[in-house]
Amino acid sequence: MRKLILVPFFVALFCVFFSVASANAAEPTYGDNSIFYGKEYEELYGDLSSSGVSGGLAGRKAYVNRWQGKFNENINNSFSTTLTKMDNYNIIESQADDNFGGRRGYMLLPIKQPVITQFIKSLNGNDRQAQYIWNKIKDADFTYYGYFELNGTMRYYRTPEIVAMMGGKWVNSTFQPSGDHGKVNGTATFYLSPYPKINSVKVVNNELIVDFKSYGHSTRNVELTISNGSQSKTYTYYSVTNTTYAATFNKSINDFVTEVGTENLKVMLHDGFGRYDEKPFVVPEKKNVCENPKLVFGGYVQYPIFFGEGVPVGTGIGGNINWYVDFQANRCLVLEGALNRNQGDLNKHRITNEGEHEFSKEIQVWKWMMTKAKNGVYLQNTSKTSEPLRVYMHKTADYKAAEQEKLHPDIMHTGKGIPIIKQYTLKKGEKIFIEVPTDDTYYLTFPSPNQVEGGFWSDKKHPYLGYGDYPQATEYPENAKKYINQAIQEAKAYFGN
């Protein structure tokens, strides 16, 4: 006579069914009215390696007894329940090397859609999640981890695997023998996780910003989908392992407008476990270019006066001092000064707003030429504009003092960090002689007209440049307006508005 060892089950192998009615040994299991607690069945076939059976797939005789399951959403503590009827299939030792001990139990659910749906909904799932999981297991076979067959015809799936597909996990199991297979003989404890949540959706400067959280106790892919109801574009966060995953999605409207347009849009969040959240959003109409232009400091031009002993008299260098105008979707930035586009705040600003610029215009305002002369240099304003060119001679900054002032040591700033020796104002075509200092520590700096005096810079100071932080006021001095307006008109023509 075969000895039956009634010690159930191993760490993560079970199946659940629920009912609050009392049970007896002749009571059928939840999943199948033809399966009875305590009855021995010819074969449970599947991956029995958890019981120490080697060789992959194998079969053993089995009987089923009743357990209960305790489920708790342990992240936000929003849900808990106890299912008092769960089915634990115990395999029977029948071969010489079988030694299952307490590793004989497999909790299983029959692969029947009503059973799977009822189980999922009893654990705070919904019809959408139940359908998602059903689609994953309905065609399961022995290539699926967790698939079993009873007596060669009845298909089952491991309960802990289904809980994991829901975003939960098995925690532990406690054997509680009752002497009656139809009464509770053990308790399996599981953790669940909350539904995903989109906290906010907004469109700022033609960029969609979505703050969201998703939850789960196993690795998954989290998806954000932009949809207009018929077309969509999906962005995926792969292999998320965080139990609580909080993120901010930032994407230019231009990145998905081709696929979904700008009408009737919504964001859908899928947490990888068949749970969803969604929110609609509106893309504002694009404003005309430069309705509200802003001034940004773009740099400066600086040259040493000292040419060097070997440089012939008459050698000249020259450059431009320009206005730059950069246009974005909803605003215009007027960038003041700079010999090229890689100096000063302009470079920092472009990094901050990388990929946003749609149009740039460089307007030459002032030109100058510095030529070596005997005992000095000639400086000439070669600009076409009648606006005067301002130039400052200064000694190289005291770097230590400038650092204490929190100023960039090479930037002009009224009376701070860099001693100004002289100021020159050159009218159009004017040429002046500047006596060469005794060493090479003197420079000429060519600021734009309002850089030193302050002009329309605000009182808020940039931490290193010492000038007002951008964006600034929209009121410009008269000598700047015509250049700004020239660029704005070109931009409007470029955009067709």
Side-chain angles (χ1 to χ4, degrees):
M1 179 176 177
R2 179 178 292 109
K3 182 180 179 181
L4 300 184
I5 302 176
L6 304 181
V7 181
F9 138 58
F10 171 56
V11 182
L13 320 170
F14 15 45
C15 161
V16 16
F17 301 103
F18 22 108
S19 167
V20 293
S22 61
N24 54 61
E27 184 180 355
T29 62
Y30 174 82
D32 194 321
N33 288 332
S34 66
I35 305 296
F36 294 89
Y37 290 124
K39 184 177 178 180
E40 184 176 308
Y41 294 90
E42 193 63 31
E43 183 180 58
L44 179 68
Y45 188 86
D47 184 348
L48 304 181
S49 59
S50 297
S51 299
V53 178
S54 60
L57 297 175
R60 294 291 190 275
K61 290 185 177 183
Y63 67 94
V64 60
N65 64 5
R66 177 176 174 177
W67 277 47
Q68 68 177 357
K70 292 187 176 181
F71 298 84
N72 177 50
E73 188 275 282
N74 69 316
I75 300 172
N76 294 336
N77 294 314
S78 61
F79 175 82
S80 65
T81 191
T82 299
L83 304 183
T84 62
K85 192 174 184 181
M86 302 181 68
D87 295 349
N88 182 45
Y89 287 77
N90 299 272
I91 58 175
I92 300 169
E93 294 177 354
S94 58
Q95 297 187 16
D97 57 351
D98 286 349
N99 183 19
F100 303 152
R103 303 175 298 165
R104 63 180 59 251
Y106 293 81
M107 273 192 168
L108 303 175
L109 279 167
I111 303 177
K112 298 177 181 180
Q113 189 169 11
V115 175
I116 299 299
T117 298
Q118 184 176 354
F119 173 65
I120 291 170
K121 293 178 71 172
S122 72
L123 301 182
N124 202 35
N126 56 25
D127 287 325
R128 191 174 187 180
Q129 185 181 38
Q131 186 65 50
Y132 172 82
I133 294 174
W134 174 250
N135 290 340
K136 292 172 73 74
I137 69 170
K138 64 181 180 180
D139 298 321
D141 56 28
F142 289 113
T143 63
Y144 288 62
Y145 180 72
Y147 176 77
F148 287 81
E149 289 184 0
L150 186 65
N151 285 357
T153 59
M154 292 174 283
R155 304 168 66 239
Y156 286 81
Y157 216 90
R158 286 176 52 174
T159 306
E161 294 302 312
I162 293 175
V163 173
M165 291 178 192
M166 296 180 63
K169 70 174 183 178
W170 171 85
V171 180
N172 59 47
S173 299
T174 304
F175 178 45
Q176 301 160 295
S178 68
D180 185 339
H181 295 310
K183 293 183 179 179
V184 173
N185 285 271
T187 299
T189 302
F190 297 84
Y191 283 156
L192 304 175
S193 60
Y195 277 71
K197 175 70 173 177
I198 297 176
N199 298 313
S200 66
V201 181
K202 55 188 176 181
V203 178
V204 179
N205 293 332
N206 208 46
E207 182 177 64
L208 176 65
I209 304 172
V210 183
D211 288 320
F212 67 91
K213 284 185 179 181
S214 69
Y215 310 88
H217 289 289
S218 57
T219 302
R220 69 277 187 193
N221 295 337
V222 177
E223 296 178 339
L224 270 175
T225 299
I226 315 299
S227 174
N228 62 10
S230 56
Q231 291 88 29
S232 63
K233 184 169 184 178
T234 297
Y235 301 87
T236 304
Y237 297 80
Y238 291 98
S239 301
V240 174
T241 58
N242 310 56
T243 302
T244 299
Y245 183 66
T248 300
F249 172 86
N250 298 77
K251 193 66 66 173
S252 169
I253 300 296
N254 298 333
D255 194 73
F256 53 81
V257 68
T258 302
E259 292 86 352
V260 301
T262 58
E263 301 291 331
N264 302 317
L265 297 181
K266 62 181 177 181
V267 179
M268 297 183 294
L269 170 63
H270 177 217
D271 66 357
F273 301 115
R275 301 177 296 194
Y276 298 81
D277 192 18
E278 61 182 55
K279 285 186 183 294
F281 68 95
V282 176
V283 177
E285 290 187 12
K286 192 172 182 180
K287 296 180 181 179
N288 288 336
V289 175
C290 275
E291 288 186 354
N292 186 28
K294 300 290 184 182
L295 182 71
V296 177
F297 175 63
Y300 61 95
V301 179
Q302 182 182 91
Y303 278 97
I305 300 175
F306 186 74
F307 273 89
E309 295 295 335
V311 179
V313 171
T315 300
I317 57 174
N320 304 324
I321 302 174
N322 302 331
W323 290 92
Y324 298 106
V325 184
D326 273 23
F327 298 93
Q328 296 176 314
N330 296 329
R331 58 180 178 168
C332 160
L333 302 179
V334 181
L335 307 173
E336 183 187 16
L339 176 65
N340 60 66
R341 301 186 60 77
N342 295 318
Q343 295 188 34
D345 253 10
L346 173 58
N347 188 48
K348 296 177 184 178
H349 175 76
R350 289 181 68 84
I351 292 172
T352 303
N353 297 281
E354 186 175 0
E356 293 184 2
H357 291 80
E358 298 180 358
F359 178 83
S360 291
K361 174 64 181 177
E362 177 180 328
I363 306 171
Q364 181 177 295
V365 181
W366 293 275
K367 292 187 68 176
W368 54 272
M369 175 66 68
M370 184 167 61
T371 307
K372 183 176 181 180
K374 187 176 181 180
N375 299 323
V377 296
Y378 287 105
L379 179 66
Q380 184 175 12
N381 179 358
T382 58
S383 308
K384 292 182 180 180
T385 178
S386 59
E387 303 293 342
L389 171 67
R390 298 186 187 181
V391 185
Y392 296 86
M393 180 194 292
H394 63 91
K395 188 174 175 64
T396 301
D398 181 336
Y399 278 71
K400 188 171 183 180
E403 177 63 24
Q404 291 173 349
E405 292 277 4
K406 297 189 181 302
L407 301 172
H408 190 295
D410 288 334
I411 291 283
M412 291 287 297
H413 188 68
T414 309
K416 287 189 177 182
I418 303 175
I420 298 174
I421 308 301
K422 277 190 177 182
Q423 173 183 321
Y424 304 95
T425 301
L426 284 73
K427 297 179 181 178
K428 179 180 177 180
E430 184 177 357
K431 185 176 183 179
I432 61 173
F433 175 77
I434 300 175
E435 185 176 356
V436 174
T438 56
D439 57 44
D440 61 356
T441 60
Y442 290 83
Y443 287 77
L444 293 181
T445 292
F446 300 83
S448 52
N450 296 278
Q451 181 176 319
V452 174
E453 285 75 8
F456 46 90
W457 298 109
S458 73
D459 291 333
K460 183 180 178 182
K461 301 302 181 184
H462 190 285
Y464 296 108
L465 297 178
Y467 297 100
D469 207 355
Y470 58 82
Q472 296 295 338
T474 57
E475 296 297 322
Y476 304 104
E478 289 299 323
N479 62 357
K481 285 183 178 179
K482 62 181 179 181
Y483 306 115
I484 296 171
N485 289 334
Q486 177 185 340
I488 290 173
Q489 294 307 314
E490 292 192 27
K492 287 185 174 181
Y494 177 83
F495 286 115
N497 60 19

